[in-house]
Amino acid sequence: DGGGLSVTNSLIVNIDDVNDNSPVCKPPVYAHKIPENQTANDGTFLTIVCTDVDSMDTAANLGYAIISQSPSAKFEFDNVNTNELQVQDPKTLDYETETTYSLEVHVTDSGNIHTTTVSVYLDVEPVNEFNPTFAPTTYSFSIKEDHLVGEFIGTVTATDSDTGYDGEFEYLITAGNAEGKFVINSINGQISLMNKVDVDSYSPIVDPKVFTL
């Protein structure tokens, strides 16, 4: 004051946090591989990790939503652990139909004020699901006794619904060829005569005219 006296006091200033930051997701882009037999029963296959420095926005308070997914909608976030991706029930994946998916995810803070976008790219990995199948399942070929060794007899045809390496197969004769009369091309299924068939060399109790492979 005018007489030179003074007093000291303490002043406390409380600064209230303002929701002025957006969620931060690391990484902002996810690239993930998922097997084609992944289902909802398998649970989480990918977790999106985001944080927010604002005090009111803990990681548990952030909201996650799939805004778009292409080429079709097959995925969703878990209802409890809302940042965990899973396959929708009862949707299924099929590598033979769709091999890649792209998702756009929005992550929103607790006040629904700030939103961050995360991109998710999924590569579907093939699984060896199918056995090779013959069509028809039974073949019948006829040859004469004087059919020349090495000559073509007939072709069997099989297919496999798997693609790529898993769809590759080879042809083998696994039964009925103990004498080595026949040989099959492992690639194209062509059957040829390997050793001459002599009907007169068999005993009467053996039917040399029919070979079941």
Side-chain angles (χ1 to χ4, degrees):
D1 59 13
L5 300 177
S6 64
V7 64
T8 301
N9 198 4
S10 297
L11 177 66
I12 299 175
V13 178
N14 291 318
I15 300 175
D16 293 332
D17 191 10
V18 176
N19 190 350
D20 57 351
N21 292 283
S22 297
V24 175
C25 302
K26 295 182 179 181
V29 177
Y30 285 78
H32 189 76
K33 297 182 183 296
I34 180 172
E36 65 173 325
N37 60 353
Q38 178 89 16
T39 67
N41 292 332
D42 296 316
T44 302
F45 66 84
L46 180 63
T47 300
I48 308 299
V49 180
C50 301
T51 58
D52 194 314
V53 296
D54 291 317
S55 61
M56 70 285 296
D57 291 325
T58 64
N61 290 335
L62 300 179
Y64 297 80
I66 299 175
I67 302 304
S68 66
Q69 46 183 317
S70 178
S72 59
K74 294 289 184 72
F75 308 96
E76 63 185 3
F77 281 106
D78 183 77
N79 290 329
V80 178
N81 300 309
T82 58
N83 63 332
E84 296 182 355
L85 277 172
Q86 61 186 21
V87 177
Q88 291 182 14
D89 188 18
K91 299 292 181 66
T92 58
L93 307 179
D94 183 13
Y95 177 85
E96 285 71 33
T97 303
E98 295 170 337
T99 60
T100 60
Y101 291 86
S102 60
L103 286 68
E104 181 178 317
V105 175
H106 281 185
V107 183
T108 307
D109 60 21
S110 60
N112 291 321
I113 298 175
H114 304 288
T115 298
T116 298
T117 300
V118 177
S119 298
V120 179
Y121 299 99
L122 301 174
D123 287 330
V124 180
E125 293 188 314
V127 175
N128 196 344
E129 301 174 285
F130 304 101
N131 293 321
T133 57
F134 284 99
T137 57
T138 302
Y139 290 81
S140 178
F141 303 110
S142 297
I143 62 172
K144 295 182 179 180
E145 184 180 9
D146 60 355
H147 196 90
L148 296 179
V149 171
E151 281 196 347
F152 170 76
I153 296 175
T155 301
V156 295
T157 302
T159 58
D160 192 316
S161 296
D162 290 306
T163 59
Y165 177 79
D166 291 331
E168 298 177 2
F169 58 89
E170 63 179 3
Y171 295 92
L172 299 170
I173 298 175
T174 59
N177 194 35
E179 298 180 359
K181 296 292 185 184
F182 308 98
V183 63
I184 188 169
N185 187 301
S186 63
I187 298 175
N188 59 26
Q190 291 184 353
I191 300 173
S192 303
L193 187 65
M194 187 69 172
N195 291 302
K196 181 175 177 59
V197 177
D198 184 2
V199 174
D200 300 323
S201 65
Y202 290 87
S203 66
I205 62 173
V206 177
D207 185 357
K209 299 184 292 298
V210 178
F211 293 87
T212 301
L213 308 179

